[in-house]
Amino acid sequence: MLQTNDKTLLRGRVLTFHAAPRDEGDSAAYSYFADGAVLMAGGLIEAVGDYAEIAAQAPGATLVDHRPCLLMPGFIDTHIHFPQVQVIASWGAQLLDWLNNYTFPAETGFADPEHSATMAARFYDLLIGHGTTSAVAFCSVHPASVEAYFFEAARRDMAMIGGKVMMDRNAPEGLTDTPQQGYDESRALIARWHGRGRAHYAITPRFAITSTPEQLEMAGALVAEHPDCHVQTHLSENRDEIAFTRSLYPEAPDYLGVYERYGLLHDKTLLGHSIHLEPREIEVLATTGAKPVFCPTSNLFLGSGLFDDARLRAQGIHAGIATDVGAGTSYSMLQTLNEGYKVLQLQGQKLHPLAAFHWITRGNAVALGMADRIGTLDVGTDADVVVLNPAATSAMALRAEAAETLSEELFILQMLGDDRAVEEVYVAGRAQKALIGARVMA
Ligand code: GUN
Ligand code: ZN
């Protein structure tokens, strides 16, 4: 057998976070090595620091020189819809019409295992191409879509979270289950995938509108039986959605009260959007630890509203941030930060670039309860690394000529960056972007 040294030494400018930084002066919150290195071995981070020091520790390692690029932990997307890869950029509707006219018809196709497998390969190529190494996805109602989703993630050794949507009403035939079927299929998928390699299962009632009380009750039973699984759903995205939910669950004190009533809220619950919240709902988020997820490109695209991050932070609630493709308009977490910056600007709130890059790496990992494995370059964690070029396009390069600080450079990436700024991506220590190129050529 061919003998290879299994240590890889990446050289470049290295940035990783230890806490949420307030501003550039908050140097305890992050480490930055201007001539830095990341040593990877056996899929893990073995060392990180100044190049000269790390190189001396690993004389036989394979060196990959990424200078002058920035090395950071791979990006994490905390809310995306795998079966919506061909729904992104569908014109002219707000949430409920968009679901009925575009999304539900497209998701029907994922009953077919072959279609699911083909789309899964394309989906992961897109994630990797945009620097995203972990994501939390809604699959379709069909177990075949979940199978394809986790199978393809395992092939690439990616840490992925996901689950089958449970939906038993207000959706077309071919896209509904029953309370018992939703329970049984979810349970079987948990047994098959949760904890296998880097896979994590998320119990996934789509939202209150598409589940009967009986189904939410059975989703609650699953949550009680699998407390280490994540839970994901949608909350208070759109005014018509909220009114419809209130009419379906008239006894609930508010929208979040529906999920509360059925035992769906704990600190691994992710609530996409969470825009139009009542004071009581914010209290419930704070007491249960359930996490709102900010989806800026989607919220602007569907005209849903402006996520109020400062109001939540004031109660100690730290949201995730996510693309929400296919209502979101980009797979790029950089473009997500760009639109997020503007959504917060409209409300007089500031998103500092250091806080922004913390958010899409360690911040999202903390929201998922997974910062011990992903989201940082800490020694012993999984070696998921993104290599970024802040001068990737001519506009970025020209602007970068006048940038003097790290924060300025990060802000160029945040506002102007996308997949063109992603030079390479390592997943569990293995370079991935070159593989995508090879597949496209084949
Ligand atoms: N609410 C329920 N389902 C969906 C979905 O697929 N996308 C968005 N943006 N909101 C939803
Ligand atoms: Zn969503």
Side-chain angles (χ1 to χ4, degrees):
M1 209 174 92
L2 189 68
Q3 283 295 312
T4 53
N5 186 322
D6 78 335
K7 295 195 185 205
T8 306
L9 184 65
L10 309 180
R11 184 173 187 179
R13 296 184 297 135
V14 175
L15 177 64
T16 182
F17 295 94
H18 316 299
R22 289 180 302 278
D23 53 40
E24 189 143 2
D26 188 6
S27 57
Y30 62 96
S31 294
Y32 174 65
F33 304 96
D35 183 6
V38 179
L39 180 64
M40 309 187 297
L44 304 178
I45 308 266
E46 191 167 285
V48 65
D50 284 319
Y51 172 73
E53 197 180 303
I54 305 298
Q57 283 175 32
T62 306
L63 175 67
V64 187
D65 192 346
H66 284 297
R67 289 177 299 169
C69 287
L70 275 161
L71 308 182
M72 274 188 229
F75 301 149
I76 301 169
D77 186 347
T78 49
H79 184 120
I80 187 167
H81 294 260
F82 157 51
Q84 295 178 15
V85 283
Q86 293 184 310
V87 176
I88 187 171
S90 293
W91 184 81
Q94 294 217 346
L95 177 63
L96 299 178
D97 290 334
W98 174 85
L99 284 171
N100 286 321
N101 297 341
Y102 299 115
T103 306
F104 289 163
E107 291 195 10
T108 308
F110 286 73
D112 175 8
E114 227 174 278
H115 179 68
S116 291
T118 305
M119 291 298 141
R122 306 284 289 272
F123 175 74
Y124 285 107
D125 282 355
L126 283 163
L127 292 188
I128 292 296
H130 289 79
T132 297
T133 49
S134 285
V136 190
F138 290 67
C139 300
S140 74
V141 74
H142 318 98
S145 72
V146 185
E147 194 62 28
Y149 173 81
F150 281 126
F151 182 84
E152 189 63 27
R155 225 173 53 75
R156 297 167 193 241
D157 206 8
M158 291 172 73
M160 295 294 294
I161 303 167
K164 155 203 149 65
V165 291
M166 305 168 75
M167 45 197 294
D168 68 342
R169 66 169 163 179
N170 292 317
E173 215 179 301
L175 213 58
T176 52
D177 52 16
T178 66
Q180 189 65 47
Q181 187 189 353
Y183 174 89
D184 290 343
E185 289 176 349
S186 301
R187 199 158 179 263
L189 288 164
I190 292 168
R192 179 162 163 71
W193 286 108
H194 183 63
R196 182 167 163 188
R198 303 182 75 193
H200 297 254
Y201 197 86
I203 297 162
T204 309
R206 184 178 202 122
F207 67 157
I209 289 175
T210 46
S211 285
T212 58
E214 294 71 30
Q215 177 155 76
L216 291 187
E217 180 118 29
M218 298 202 83
L222 278 173
V223 173
E225 290 158 14
H226 304 279
D228 58 329
C229 285
H230 288 85
V231 179
Q232 60 178 345
T233 187
H234 296 86
L235 174 70
S236 297
E237 175 177 4
N238 165 290
R239 300 271 183 208
D240 292 341
E241 171 212 16
I242 297 168
F244 192 12
T245 302
R246 300 302 305 272
S247 75
L248 292 171
Y249 289 92
E251 73 296 345
D254 43 47
Y255 193 158
L256 189 57
V258 177
Y259 300 143
E260 187 185 15
R261 155 86 174 71
Y262 293 103
L264 300 177
L265 305 181
H266 58 41
D267 62 0
K268 288 179 119 180
T269 301
L270 303 164
L271 299 158
H273 308 294
S274 301
I275 298 169
H276 309 284
L277 299 178
E278 303 292 336
R280 197 200 77 89
E281 294 179 293
I282 294 180
E283 273 171 39
V284 173
L285 292 176
T287 53
T288 59
K291 308 289 188 305
V293 180
F294 178 24
C295 305
T297 71
S298 165
N299 297 161
L300 295 173
F301 178 73
L302 291 179
S304 301
L306 303 179
F307 181 86
D308 190 346
D309 190 50
R311 184 181 179 215
L312 294 165
R313 277 178 195 275
Q315 301 305 316
I317 299 162
H318 295 275
I321 185 166
T323 64
D324 191 35
V325 164
T329 53
S330 174
Y331 289 88
S332 171
M333 292 305 292
L334 301 174
Q335 280 307 296
T336 301
L337 290 176
N338 167 15
E339 300 291 283
Y341 179 83
K342 296 169 190 166
V343 165
L344 298 179
Q345 273 281 47
L346 282 166
Q347 302 169 94
Q349 299 173 27
K350 293 260 180 281
L351 177 56
H352 190 279
L354 280 165
F357 278 86
H358 171 266
W359 207 351
I360 62 173
T361 56
R362 182 181 172 276
N364 272 346
V366 170
L368 298 177
M370 293 172 66
D372 60 332
R373 299 259 40 98
I374 58 173
T376 72
L377 300 176
D378 290 355
V379 170
T381 65
D382 299 335
D384 297 342
V385 181
V386 62
V387 182
L388 296 171
N389 177 4
T393 66
S394 51
M396 292 171 81
L398 184 59
R399 173 65 183 87
E401 283 175 22
E404 287 172 1
T405 65
L406 174 64
S407 290
E408 271 185 275
E409 225 178 330
L410 291 177
F411 197 55
I412 295 170
L413 280 166
Q414 174 179 341
M415 301 312 291
L416 305 179
D418 53 31
D419 51 332
R420 293 169 294 179
V422 177
E423 290 261 322
E424 186 50 277
V425 178
Y426 295 87
V427 171
R430 288 210 315 260
Q432 297 291 321
K433 224 174 155 164
L435 297 180
I436 296 173
R439 256 196 303 279
V440 171
M441 301 279 286

